[in-house]
Amino acid sequence: MPTDAAAQSQHAMHHTEVLDSAVAPRFAHRVRFTRGALDTANPALRALFASDPGIAARRAVVVLDAGVAAAQPDLAARLHAYLDAHSGAVPAICEVATVPGGEDAKADTRVADLVVDLVERHRIDRKSFVIAIGGGAVLDAAGYGAAIAHRGVRLVRIPTTVLAQDDAAMGVKNGINRFGKKNFVGAFAVPFAVLCDELLLASLPDAVYRAGFSEAVKIALLKEPAYFARIERDAARIAARDLDAASPVIRRSAELHLRHIVDGGDPFEANEARPLDFGHWAAHRLESMSRHAVSHGDAVALGLLLDCRYSNLRGWLSDAGHARIRACIAALGLPTRHPLLADSGALLAGLEEFREHLGGRLTVTMLRSHAPADGGPEHFSGFEVHELDAGLVARAASELA
Ligand SMILES: NC(=O)c1ccc[n+]([C@@H]2O[C@H](COP(=O)([O-])OP(=O)(O)OC[C@H]3O[C@@H](n4cnc5c(N)ncnc54)[C@H](O)[C@@H]3O)[C@@H](O)[C@H]2O)c1
Ligand SMILES: [Zn+2]
């Protein structure tokens, strides 16, 4: 038995002073939608910088998606002209660097390294800017570079795909792929501003354009029955690229993603549940299995179909509800089958990858039907499960192969 004195001295030696604190920084997340952002008469881009009294001394480097540069060859010149016309109220542009677009931008550290180099070469300080223009992949890779240079220089995102406008650019994270795994390296970082211009979408190939609506379907199913009904109603017009039908759907998706991130209480994803990743465990795996031949948006469409069929097989989602969701995804011109889904073993290996990426227990969102009392159309809600029945996943996947 230790004596009282010995116990006391041991206690003193092991004394731990506890300074634990909650860190709750506040960020402004500026998000704007406009048309014709680079028309010199449009004040939207200039207005992004209005909160900065030192703007006249700020500099910017621009990272431009090569796919956009090829499809809109006058874009860099128009950006120069805009910034020249508003000189003193916007940052001075030092260089426009064109980088590979699509998932290649996230394949290695080249784009992020280039951003770090540009920051050094042009003396971009932490109050100055990286302006990234492109699809979600270029925004993710350039955003990662901007987040690590000087531990974070200001990032302005100008998204140029449907998916980047209705989802990716709203996020407060960036990333690149490594070890054949999506977004293995990256950081949480709130952008300085996001400016969406629907006219920039005009040059998108049809498949890239349509792929972006899978994220709109995802968030509509989880958050807003009337919004899902609108997408169902207008799906054919959206697929035919009727902007009157598509623009409100893109904007609402962006807003619902933004609201979830800003008001959901977990912007940096510390919790186990990540409802915005509905349909994504299989989607990320399918992208990697296909070596990115399947785009993120297409993979999300297939991942949603898989998890909806699984929910249906488990008795959570009605046959009618399942049929409606399938029909909506098909009417949007999104894929409803892929041969790689025949390999359910390889697919299921993605579950552990997904769990590791989120941390903690496996948490996957599934869908449930609710029959309304008044006899109207049923609606849906997401809920979390912590294990999946491998046999039923294999059955659902084989039907989509
Ligand atoms: N950070 C986040 O919160 C978040 C959220 C969702 C998705 N993402 C990521 O976004 C990526 C997918 O982004 P995406 O769907 O925008 O596709 P993408 O960035 O892969 O771009 C697809 C293709 O379109 C081209 N392109 C882009 N804009 C164009 C335009 N206006 N005209 C002609 N061509 C154009 C690109 O060069 C590329 O070849 C994935 O890597 C995904 O993981 C990130
Ligand atoms: Zn996604």
Side-chain angles (χ1 to χ4, degrees):
M1 282 294 279
T3 62
D4 276 3
Q8 252 173 22
S9 96
Q10 203 165 39
H11 180 75
M13 189 171 82
H14 292 153
H15 174 72
T16 305
E17 198 164 341
V18 178
L19 300 177
D20 300 359
S21 317
V23 179
R26 290 191 67 79
F27 297 93
H29 193 350
R30 303 167 182 84
V31 177
R32 319 274 163 89
F33 274 82
T34 190
R35 284 175 74 105
L38 300 182
D39 299 344
T40 47
N42 185 333
L45 179 55
R46 172 193 178 120
L48 292 182
F49 305 103
S51 62
D52 180 356
I55 190 66
R58 310 287 185 232
R59 300 149 69 78
V61 290
V62 178
V63 180
L64 177 60
D65 185 318
V68 184
Q72 303 188 32
D74 62 341
L75 188 135
R78 292 175 62 219
L79 179 65
H80 271 290
Y82 186 98
L83 295 177
D84 285 349
H86 295 276
S87 158
V90 296
I93 194 165
C94 302
E95 182 174 339
V96 178
T98 302
V99 300
E103 211 62 25
D104 280 355
K106 295 175 64 169
D108 51 44
T109 59
R110 269 180 291 180
V111 172
D113 287 344
L114 173 72
V115 172
V116 173
D117 280 351
L118 289 170
V119 166
E120 202 279 329
R121 202 172 339 133
H122 294 292
R123 300 284 176 262
I124 300 297
D125 66 18
R126 295 192 64 238
K127 297 268 186 242
S128 280
F129 297 90
V130 170
I131 301 177
I133 306 177
V138 164
L139 300 185
D140 265 359
Y144 174 52
I148 57 177
H150 292 306
R151 299 198 179 108
V153 299
R154 290 168 161 182
L155 173 70
V156 174
R157 296 180 181 143
I158 303 186
T160 60
T161 64
V162 171
L163 191 136
Q165 292 192 2
D166 77 0
D167 176 359
M170 303 300 129
V172 293
K173 56 191 180 182
N174 55 57
I176 58 173
N177 308 330
R178 221 168 142 191
F179 311 117
K181 296 173 184 176
K182 286 279 295 183
N183 306 324
F184 191 86
V185 178
F188 287 99
V190 181
F192 178 84
V194 181
L195 184 61
C196 299
D197 176 355
E198 63 189 31
L199 299 186
L200 290 174
L201 306 176
S203 61
L204 284 173
D206 281 341
V208 181
Y209 166 86
R210 289 178 188 153
F213 290 96
S214 54
E215 302 281 10
V217 170
K218 170 200 76 180
I219 198 110
L221 288 171
L222 297 178
K223 302 273 185 190
E224 200 168 77
Y227 175 48
F228 179 66
R230 177 185 192 138
I231 300 175
E232 273 184 300
R233 187 195 70 197
D234 291 346
R237 286 173 64 203
I238 293 168
R241 304 187 67 152
D242 174 345
L243 264 190
D244 290 338
S247 287
V249 167
I250 294 169
R251 272 201 302 276
R252 188 67 186 145
S253 170
E255 205 176 341
L256 290 171
H257 278 92
L258 185 67
R259 290 274 65 89
H260 179 88
I261 292 163
V262 173
D263 301 332
D266 189 26
F268 299 146
E269 298 173 1
N271 299 341
E272 280 175 348
R274 250 168 57 173
L276 298 187
D277 275 352
F278 177 38
H280 277 57
W281 75 266
H284 283 164
R285 185 65 175 165
L286 193 56
E287 289 181 74
S288 300
M289 283 166 70
S290 73
R291 296 181 192 280
H292 303 287
V294 181
S295 70
H296 181 71
D298 284 356
V300 170
L302 291 158
L304 289 175
L305 288 173
L306 179 72
D307 286 348
C308 286
R309 177 59 171 142
Y310 181 87
S311 299
N312 173 240
L313 288 170
R314 291 296 306 261
W316 301 319
L317 177 65
S318 72
D319 289 347
H322 176 238
R324 270 176 72 192
I325 296 165
R326 270 192 74 87
C328 178
I329 286 177
L332 286 166
L334 289 161
T336 52
R337 293 183 176 282
H338 196 282
L340 279 174
L341 289 169
D343 188 353
S344 64
L347 195 65
L348 281 160
L351 265 184
E352 174 54 16
E353 227 172 274
F354 187 74
R355 187 202 64 74
E356 269 177 38
H357 194 61
L358 269 63
R361 269 187 312 173
L362 174 71
T363 304
V364 175
T365 299
M366 289 293 163
L367 208 64
R368 196 193 301 281
S369 301
H370 301 273
D374 62 6
E378 69 182 326
H379 61 271
F380 312 106
S381 67
F383 68 102
E384 275 104 48
V385 300
H386 300 288
E387 56 188 3
L388 295 186
D389 179 315
L392 287 184
V393 171
R395 182 170 158 197
S398 69
E399 290 175 10
L400 299 171

